[in-house]
Every structure is written in structure tokens, then in C-alpha cells.
Amino acid sequence: MSRHAFTLPELLLALVLMAVVSTSIVRLTIHVIRATRSENERVQITATLRSAFAYLQREFRALDATDLSGGDIIQADATSLVYRSMQGLYTVCGSSPAGQTQLVLQKVSSVGLALLRGIGDSVMVFGARDVTTMRDAEWLRAEVEAYDQRGICDDGSPGVRVTLGGIPDGEFHRIQRGAPVRNFTHKWLRLYRDGQGLWWLGERRRVAVSGWSNTQPIVGPFAPDGVRFTYLGPSGNAAVAPSAVALIRVRLVGAPTRAPVLGRLGGAGPSGVLESEVALRNNAR
């Protein structure tokens, strides 16, 4: 009895207390992990939604559904849109010999956009017979049939010489020196599901010589119904045809990039919603 030792009841009590403390520590650790993971996912989802809307805003603002020579919106539904996407900006800096459909172009701006690549590209050239009144001004659509990077502008500066098809002979003389030229590509935006079961906003591009490309992811992931487009007319009512679209209402619902951690303790994961409208070019409301 003189030796210091634990009795059996004391040892059992110590084990019970240790188990209670350990369980509390484990639960607290799981809670911290879950809260940290949830906050990180929430920040990532917010960034995804903002990036997606910034991209859609940039694309949709350049669209003109009412162009008499053909609107930029080709096909539209709730989760996809086929349209003409404006790209680099050029100006006409030289013309070809009389009777030929050739122009020399000089690059003005292409920050973040695609330049003319060659045969099969599409362009819009601004043309007007009377440059003083601009009453007959319009954008003329054409296809690049020949392409030469060794073109020379009228002032001797380097340019790109292109031969255009699709502009009637009687209209080609409307194109004046200094006229703006936009190259464009056909894009197909759509919500799609990848091999891992995640939903993304992706795009396909159409090339004249090879057709539509494979779908490439732009931004995501989203909820299964996380990308929705609503097409509105000038008065805010539903647009009945692509040519009547003045506004595109965008609704985005984000989703986590991974499954919840730690089983049921991880929860269903955070989500986020962003809704806004984008007004199209030259479509007054």
C-alpha cells in the first residue's frame, strides 16, 4: 500500500476521459476541415461564375441579331448558342488591281482574340458608296480564298493581302481605304458533361475546310442545369426568332470541382448562382 499506483477504477476512468477528449478533438478537426474545404470551394465557385459571365459578356456584346445581311445568332436554345464570334480588327490599307477581289489589310487590334489564319477564314468588311453621308453603309460578309502575309500597303508598310469571295462584283468598289475589317469565326457554346461526370461550358469552332472542331472546355464546373440562356426582345418579352433578340439573360449555377470529403460529414458541398443580362450590339431596348 506504500507504493504509488493506479487502481483499476482510476485506470478505467482515465481511459473514458481520454476517449471523450479524443472524440471531441476528432470532431473538431473534421469540422475545421469541412469548413475550410467549404470556404475554398465557395471562393472557387464565385471565381468560376465571374469568369464565365465575363467571357459570355464579351462574346454576346459583339453580336448583332438584326443585321440585314444576316444576323450573328444562327441557332439558339436554353443551353447552347451557335453564333458568329468577332475576332481581330484590321483596316484596309491597299487595294488590288482593277477587277480583282483583293485587299491589303493592316492589323489594328487583336488583344486576346484570334487573327486571320488563312484560307477558309471569314471576314466582315465595311463598305459604303457615299462616304460623306454613309447612308448605304453596311457590313459585307466574305470568305478568304487566298492569303499572303507579304502584302504591302499603299504607304509601303507591311500588311496581309487577301482574296475575298462572296462579295458581288458590283459591291466590291464600295470598300474604301481605311475601312474596318473584322475576322470572325462560328462558335457553338454549350453545356456538356465530361468523362468524370462534371458539367462544363464548352465551345466548338467551325472551320470551312474541316467542319466543327471537338468541344473544348472554357470554364466550369457547373450544376447539371447550371448554364441557362433566355432570349429577350427590345421590350423585354421573349424573342420569337434569333433576329428579334436584343438581350440575353444568363443564369449560371456553380458546383464543386470534387466530391465532398469525409463521407456524409462533408455535406453536399457549396454552390453559387449568378444571374444577369447582356445587351447585344445595335439592338435598342
Side-chain angles (χ1 to χ4, degrees):
M1 295 295 295
S2 62
R3 292 185 299 174
H4 298 287
F6 294 107
T7 64
L8 182 59
E10 291 174 334
L11 182 59
L12 291 176
L13 179 60
L15 291 176
V16 170
L17 292 175
M18 184 179 297
V20 172
V21 172
S22 299
T23 301
S24 300
I25 293 175
V26 170
R27 289 183 178 274
L28 178 61
T29 302
I30 292 176
H31 175 75
V32 171
I33 293 175
R34 183 175 63 181
T36 303
R37 167 69 182 277
S38 179
E39 185 61 27
N40 290 339
E41 290 283 6
R42 189 172 289 107
V43 171
Q44 183 174 358
I45 289 172
T46 300
T48 295
L49 295 178
R50 290 179 177 176
S51 298
F53 183 73
Y55 174 83
L56 295 174
Q57 189 176 44
R58 186 191 70 191
E59 291 288 307
F60 293 169
R61 277 183 173 175
L63 300 181
D64 182 3
T66 60
D67 193 329
L68 296 178
S69 61
D72 293 327
I73 297 178
I74 301 173
Q75 182 178 341
D77 58 43
T79 59
S80 69
L81 180 65
V82 181
Y83 63 100
R84 297 181 180 92
S85 175
M86 296 296 107
Q87 300 294 309
L89 175 63
Y90 295 79
T91 58
V92 176
C93 64
S95 58
S96 63
Q100 297 186 21
T101 55
Q102 291 184 354
L103 295 174
V104 180
L105 309 179
Q106 195 168 52
K107 180 179 68 175
V108 176
S109 174
S110 61
V111 178
L113 302 174
L115 295 172
L116 278 169
R117 294 167 297 179
I119 299 174
D121 279 4
S122 302
V123 297
M124 295 177 62
V125 186
F126 190 79
R129 291 189 182 91
D130 187 350
V131 295
T132 59
T133 64
M134 305 297 285
R135 292 177 180 174
D136 64 338
E138 66 175 315
W139 288 95
L140 306 173
R141 302 183 189 276
E143 302 292 328
V144 177
E145 296 182 343
Y147 179 85
D148 187 355
Q149 292 183 331
R150 297 168 298 178
I152 302 296
C153 298
D154 290 347
D155 61 2
S157 59
V160 176
R161 180 177 295 278
V162 295
T163 300
L164 302 180
I167 299 178
D169 294 338
E171 302 293 321
F172 196 79
H173 70 279
R174 297 170 58 184
I175 303 172
Q176 307 291 329
R177 182 179 176 182
V181 179
R182 297 293 304 267
N183 63 302
F184 67 90
T185 183
H186 289 82
K187 284 188 180 182
W188 180 0
L189 287 182
R190 68 187 187 96
L191 179 67
Y192 79 100
R193 191 177 187 181
D194 66 8
Q196 298 180 346
L198 298 176
W199 293 86
W200 297 81
L201 177 65
E203 74 171 25
R204 302 177 70 183
R205 298 194 178 207
R206 192 177 71 188
V207 181
V209 295
S210 59
W212 289 105
S213 66
N214 294 328
T215 301
Q216 298 296 325
I218 299 174
V219 63
F222 295 96
D225 59 345
V227 178
R228 305 288 294 184
F229 302 136
T230 304
Y231 308 95
L232 306 175
S235 60
N237 58 311
V240 296
S243 60
V245 177
L247 293 167
I248 300 179
R249 181 175 296 156
V250 178
R251 186 176 191 270
L252 304 173
V253 182
T257 57
R258 296 171 293 178
V261 295
L262 301 179
R264 290 182 300 172
L265 293 178
S271 62
V273 179
L274 188 154
E275 293 187 75
S276 189
E277 295 178 351
V278 182
L280 274 59
R281 172 176 60 92
N282 292 344
N283 292 54
R285 184 172 185 180

